[in-house]
Amino acid sequence: MLVDSPPEERAAVAAAPPTRRGMRALGLLLSAVILVLVALASIAVGAKELSLDQVWHGLFQDSGTYGDVVVGERLSRTLLGLLAGAALGLSGAVLQALTRNPLADPGILGINAGASAAVVTAITWFGVTSLSGYVWFAFLGAAAVGALVWFLGGGRGATPVRLALAGTAIGAALYGYLQAVMIMDDAALGKMRFWTVGSLASATDATIVQVLPFCLAGTVLALLLARPLNAVAMGDDTARALGVNLNRTRALAMLAATVLCGAATAACGPIVFVGLMIPHVVRSFTGPDLRWILPYATILSPVLLLGADVVGRLVARPAEVQVGVVTAIIGGPVFILLVRRRRTAQL
């Protein structure tokens, strides 16, 4: 049809996609700028208020009081927030594409429950008391549940519905186990209370080093799956027609989501709603193309997590509200709104 169109119309149609890509690229750049500003706020805000000038000196010049406060405490917390936020947002976007359910988040496959149950087991039966010990048990628990969900969901024949049902059932069983152990063991209850809320307050350089390889590997794998997941989101028949190997794509997507969510949960505890909210926000201005959704989620999810952490430090100063509580308070109403909008759209 464009062959018979006027030259001006053909030129306008040809120019439209690059223009839209340019706007998306500009939005990605602006998102990165916002992330830098929020990260600076995360370093500057705390029990001891620091100006941006003091933050700069603490990071790059001063080795005295400000350097100790900024580099020794808040920088590790901010870096962990960047890693965990990106991991949660990416895993949520991947799972929403995999299950073709826009209300899905990492908890739908029981990954958070697997990590929490593993940490309770480590505390109760193996006497683990350090955060570095929690990290490895939590990650192994998340990975084991991811593999179990894949097996129960049908393995090579897994479908979005089977995966969601298997994850929900396993998650419910594991949370029952978790609550039973914590009720019977007061020591486990005391040690788990802080971790299960979800927090960045215990961030250390060692924790960052432990989870960094998993976050990087999961991020690279998720970004590489953008094209095949775009096809999967359009339905199995369409994906096959486009030459996508459904079994391999679903297995790799499960692996990426498990690695990302497992690493974030291991380091910070189960933080909810980040993986649900950000893909929705991103999809509203990028459309359904995962080649844009995934990079945007990688940048904007840490904005939400670090922003919630800063809010938690401000509302109860000199104490603080843990970031998992803040994201839950924000995410609850947002989730209800999303459900209502989805129901209205279906009507």
Side-chain angles (χ1 to χ4, degrees):
M1 293 180 64
L2 290 177
V3 175
D4 299 326
S5 302
E8 296 82 6
E9 183 177 340
R10 294 202 301 269
V13 172
T19 301
R20 189 171 184 182
R21 286 197 296 269
M23 293 298 294
R24 288 169 172 173
L26 178 59
L28 203 61
L29 178 61
L30 292 176
S31 299
V33 172
I34 294 172
L35 178 59
V36 171
L37 294 176
V38 173
L40 289 175
S42 176
I43 297 173
V45 174
K48 183 181 178 73
E49 194 76 28
L50 298 178
S51 67
L52 291 180
D53 182 63
Q54 291 169 335
V55 170
W56 177 267
H57 281 277
L59 286 171
F60 300 108
Q61 298 179 23
D62 195 289
S63 59
T65 303
Y66 293 134
D68 292 340
V69 171
V70 174
V71 178
E73 298 178 13
R74 300 183 190 171
L75 183 59
S76 295
R77 182 171 184 159
T78 301
L79 290 176
L80 183 59
L82 291 172
L83 288 175
L88 291 171
L90 265 178
S91 62
V94 168
L95 289 176
Q96 288 177 14
L98 177 64
T99 61
R100 297 202 290 270
N101 181 357
L103 300 180
D105 76 334
I108 198 171
L109 296 184
I111 296 173
N112 286 347
S116 300
V119 172
V120 166
T121 301
I123 293 172
T124 304
W125 305 110
F126 297 101
V128 177
T129 58
S130 66
L131 182 63
S132 60
Y134 295 169
V135 167
W136 293 109
F137 273 92
F139 185 78
L140 289 174
V145 169
L148 183 59
V149 168
W150 176 252
F151 174 76
L152 294 179
R156 289 181 173 271
T159 64
V161 174
R162 287 181 180 178
L163 291 174
L165 289 175
T168 301
I170 293 173
L174 288 177
Y175 275 124
Y177 163 77
L178 186 151
Q179 295 298 326
V181 173
M182 291 175 65
I183 289 173
M184 294 186 295
D185 190 336
D186 292 338
L189 176 60
K191 293 172 184 176
M192 281 292 296
R193 185 182 294 115
F194 183 77
W195 187 85
T196 53
V197 169
S199 173
L200 299 176
S202 299
T204 63
D205 292 340
T207 304
I208 294 171
V209 170
Q210 287 173 331
V211 301
L212 179 60
F214 299 106
C215 290
L216 291 178
T219 298
V220 171
L221 180 57
L223 294 176
L224 290 175
L225 288 171
R227 286 181 180 273
L229 282 175
N230 271 340
V232 171
M234 292 187 289
D236 291 0
D237 293 338
T238 302
R240 290 192 189 94
L242 293 173
V244 174
N245 186 320
L246 287 174
N247 293 329
R248 182 177 63 190
T249 299
R250 285 174 177 153
L252 291 176
M254 275 288 297
L255 177 62
T258 299
V259 169
L260 288 167
C261 185
T265 304
C268 308
I271 298 175
V272 296
F273 288 118
V274 175
L276 170 68
M277 288 187 286
I278 292 301
H280 268 282
V281 173
V282 170
R283 200 176 291 112
S284 67
F285 56 84
T286 65
D289 192 346
L290 285 163
R291 292 174 298 175
W292 289 101
I293 291 175
L294 296 182
Y296 266 99
T298 305
I299 294 176
L300 290 179
S301 296
V303 171
L304 173 61
L305 189 61
L306 289 176
D309 191 44
V310 170
V311 170
R313 285 183 250 172
L314 290 175
V315 297
R317 186 183 289 181
E320 65 178 74
V321 179
Q322 304 306 322
V323 66
V325 176
V326 179
T327 58
I329 292 173
I330 297 172
V334 171
F335 182 77
I336 294 172
L337 177 62
L338 292 174
V339 171
R340 288 182 60 85
R341 287 180 59 186
R342 180 169 172 78
R343 182 180 178 184
T344 301
Q346 290 175 341
L347 294 176

